[in-house]
Amino acid sequence: MCMNATDRRDFLKTAAAAGAAVVGVTALATPADAQAQEQSAGLGERIALTNVRVFDGDQVTSPRTVVMDAGRIGVSPLGARRVDCGGGVLLPGLTDAHIHLRDVNTLHALAGSGVTTGLDMASFPPSLVDSLRGLTGLTDIRSAGTPAVAPGSPQSQIPAFPADAVLTGPEQAVRFVRSRITEGSDYIKIIIDEPGLSLETVRAVTTAAHSAGRLVMAHATSTVTVVRALDAGVDMIHHVPMDNPLPASLAARYVSTGTVAVPTLTMMEGFGNLGIPGMDYAAAEGSVAALHRAGVRILAGTDSNLTPGIPVQPPYGTSLHHELELLVRAGLTNREALRATTSLPAQAFRLRDRGAVRIGNRADLVLVDGDPLADITATRAVRRVWIGGVEYTPTA
Ligand SMILES: [Zn+2]
């Protein structure tokens, strides 16, 4: 059931009266606009989730009713289909801030585990990414597309790897960024390895991306590459040093520059288990502890992938729950771990319509048994998932 334009105006009036933050449903000039918005909001019916306790970003509330209306968190339960949630806990849909898209099965695995937003950190060709965008009732994605890499790097040797993403110097940065934007990349990814792209090149790509209004993600797994990423002014650093725990002085630089960390401890753990010299999981965990002590914004990301040749392939969906547990083990509180997969990624990636159970937001919701504030493993007990107001149902 969809709202018509009149219903929608009533909804907005009610929401405004309630002092609610209504996001993304304000342009109602014409019926055509309203129709387009109904499509973008998904085709969810009006559903009232009753007897549900809500993680509000801080606490788990007493039992209440949450309304989903035309794909958004709504206000009025009038005429809604009621679903008794039996005192279960409702979380904002979870975000995995580091995945690699494979195919539509990726989205099913994520959705089934309550991951309603998947942030891809390198996939190509662009047609693959495009084919997975905006699918009703499935995980909503964003993608970096093709990352910038150095000549001779492992990525540059993948047979179909785009030649214009192998950068030999800073003068290629503007063209690289322009190509990615033309292809539809939502943000720009740079692989910083040692040896690898020079500081000048990383800085030039960062500047070009920022000029185009795009966020910059850096891959860095050692102390020296983290320094290069910080020197270049990237927005987020993915992974953490595994050679040594991050020194407090470097963690402080994340804070002073507003750099966000996506440690991907699940991936670091997998590499730690391979016994490669210089890849020590204890150092990775120590790096996260240092970031946490310094007050750095930390996001949950797993590096889930099915990329041929990658020796560690965390499973889509379920590994996000493992990541939350590893973050708690590294020093985050349960509340901080939940924020790391809900409100913080929404804020850091400028996805202003999600990350909280708030009127007007996308109705991306996960119902779990138990209280993850008391026991973080409770996020694993996913009972039901709604994406854009549409309940996820596994295909046969
Ligand atoms: Zn990755």
Side-chain angles (χ1 to χ4, degrees):
M1 185 179 73
C2 297
M3 275 186 182
N4 62 31
T6 309
D7 286 343
R8 196 170 272 273
R9 282 192 197 93
D10 290 346
F11 162 79
L12 286 167
K13 264 187 242 158
T14 317
V22 177
V23 182
V25 288
T26 50
L28 290 169
T30 67
D33 284 349
Q35 193 183 11
Q37 293 207 2
E38 277 169 17
Q39 282 163 1
S40 71
L43 301 172
E45 58 180 329
R46 186 179 292 183
I47 302 170
L49 305 178
T50 63
N51 192 18
V52 70
R53 297 182 294 149
V54 178
F55 173 61
D56 65 5
D58 187 33
Q59 301 295 331
V60 170
T61 68
S62 56
R64 58 196 57 200
T65 297
V66 172
V67 176
M68 288 184 270
D69 200 340
R72 302 266 168 183
I73 308 290
V75 178
S76 170
L78 282 179
R81 180 164 66 83
R82 299 170 84 80
V83 175
D84 187 337
C85 295
V89 171
L90 195 66
L91 306 173
L94 310 180
T95 293
D96 188 333
H98 192 132
I99 60 164
H100 296 274
L101 294 165
R102 174 74 169 183
D103 54 30
V104 74
N105 293 323
T106 308
L107 306 186
H108 280 281
L110 291 169
S113 289
V115 180
T116 58
T117 300
L119 302 172
D120 169 76
M121 287 301 148
S123 281
F124 61 92
S127 56
L128 164 72
V129 176
D130 289 344
S131 73
L132 301 177
R133 288 187 191 271
L135 300 181
T136 301
L138 283 176
T139 299
D140 194 36
I141 60 160
R142 299 291 184 277
S143 174
T146 306
V149 305
S153 60
Q155 299 85 3
S156 70
Q157 285 154 34
I158 298 170
F161 194 84
D164 76 345
V166 183
L167 304 188
T168 55
E171 67 282 355
Q172 295 165 329
V174 168
R175 195 193 58 183
F176 166 77
V177 169
R178 203 175 289 149
S179 297
R180 302 291 80 74
I181 291 174
T182 304
E183 289 176 353
S185 295
D186 298 288
Y187 35 80
I188 300 297
K189 171 91 180 281
I190 310 173
I191 307 286
I192 310 181
D193 266 327
E194 187 56 24
L197 296 172
S198 67
L199 172 60
E200 290 66 35
T201 302
V202 177
R203 191 177 272 152
V205 173
T206 302
T207 302
H210 285 167
S211 301
R214 293 301 199 280
L215 293 167
V216 177
M217 314 288 134
H219 158 114
T221 61
S222 63
T223 311
V224 65
T225 53
V226 163
V227 169
R228 207 178 304 159
L230 289 167
D231 286 347
V234 306
D235 300 291
M236 298 190 207
I237 300 178
H238 290 247
H239 316 299
V240 280
M242 296 191 78
D243 50 348
N244 286 293
L246 194 75
S249 57
L250 283 184
R253 285 193 61 196
Y254 280 71
V255 176
S256 64
T257 56
T259 308
V260 172
V262 189
T264 69
L265 281 176
T266 300
M267 191 58 150
M268 306 293 92
E269 182 187 48
F271 270 96
N273 289 339
L274 297 179
I276 301 167
M279 302 205 87
D280 175 13
Y281 182 70
E285 193 177 69
S287 294
V288 172
L291 291 165
H292 178 249
R293 276 195 299 273
V296 176
R297 283 181 291 163
I298 296 171
L299 311 185
T302 61
D303 217 346
S304 295
N305 73 90
L306 280 172
T307 309
I310 301 292
V312 181
Q313 301 188 328
Y316 298 106
T318 52
S319 62
L320 190 271
H321 301 279
H322 183 60
E323 182 72 18
L324 299 181
E325 291 154 21
L326 292 182
L327 289 172
V328 167
R329 223 177 286 164
L332 275 70
T333 64
N334 292 2
R335 181 182 290 110
E336 288 167 336
L338 290 175
R339 287 176 182 164
T341 189
T342 55
S343 55
L344 283 184
Q347 188 187 92
F349 282 87
R350 305 169 181 165
L351 301 172
R352 301 182 209 286
D353 60 353
R354 66 196 74 190
V357 182
R358 192 172 60 210
I359 291 165
N361 268 4
R362 279 172 61 94
D364 291 348
L365 297 167
V366 185
L367 180 67
V368 299
D369 292 321
D371 179 357
L373 277 184
D375 173 5
I376 195 64
T377 66
T379 63
R380 289 182 181 273
V382 172
R383 213 194 291 170
R384 299 173 82 160
V385 179
W386 292 267
I387 304 177
V390 177
E391 183 160 9
Y392 173 70
T393 42
T395 48

